[in-house]
Amino acid sequence: MFDEVVIPDYELTEFDNTRRVFKALLKLPARYERVIRMRFFQEKTLVEVAETFELTQGRVWQMEAKALRMLKNKKKNA
């Protein structure tokens, strides 16, 4: 009666990858998670993120780098 909706495999893979990224972000400490979300998903600059957290740009850069290392290490251990 109704036509079935067919979702291409690449869209399912993309959805699964997105879900995995967000799941991994939840394992980071809250501030690190927010920094990553602001930098990569909201496309905020270091200056904008630094102003939000009232930190220096250098400290935000350090937090970003550490969060990315944490995500990378979690991937290796998974």
Side-chain angles (χ1 to χ4, degrees):
M1 187 165 203
F2 293 103
D3 291 333
E4 287 187 33
V5 176
V6 177
I7 300 173
D9 288 341
Y10 67 87
E11 286 186 20
L12 290 174
T13 302
E14 185 176 327
F15 173 77
D16 189 50
N17 288 340
T18 302
R19 186 180 56 81
R20 287 180 185 180
V21 168
F22 282 106
K23 190 175 178 181
L25 286 176
L26 293 174
K27 295 179 182 179
L28 292 175
R31 289 184 76 173
Y32 290 87
E33 176 194 352
R34 278 193 67 204
V35 167
I36 295 298
R37 286 181 187 272
M38 291 176 78
R39 291 283 289 141
F40 294 98
F41 296 99
Q42 298 173 8
E43 299 180 4
K44 301 285 184 181
T45 65
L46 280 174
V47 173
E48 293 169 324
V49 177
E51 288 173 356
T52 300
F53 284 101
E54 297 180 355
L55 298 170
T56 65
Q57 293 174 46
R59 180 62 187 130
V60 171
W61 182 83
Q62 289 173 342
M63 291 174 72
E64 178 183 320
K66 184 173 182 178
L68 292 173
R69 281 194 308 273
M70 292 167 78
L71 290 171
K72 184 177 180 180
N73 288 337
K74 287 184 189 302
K75 182 181 177 215
K76 284 182 183 178
N77 295 333

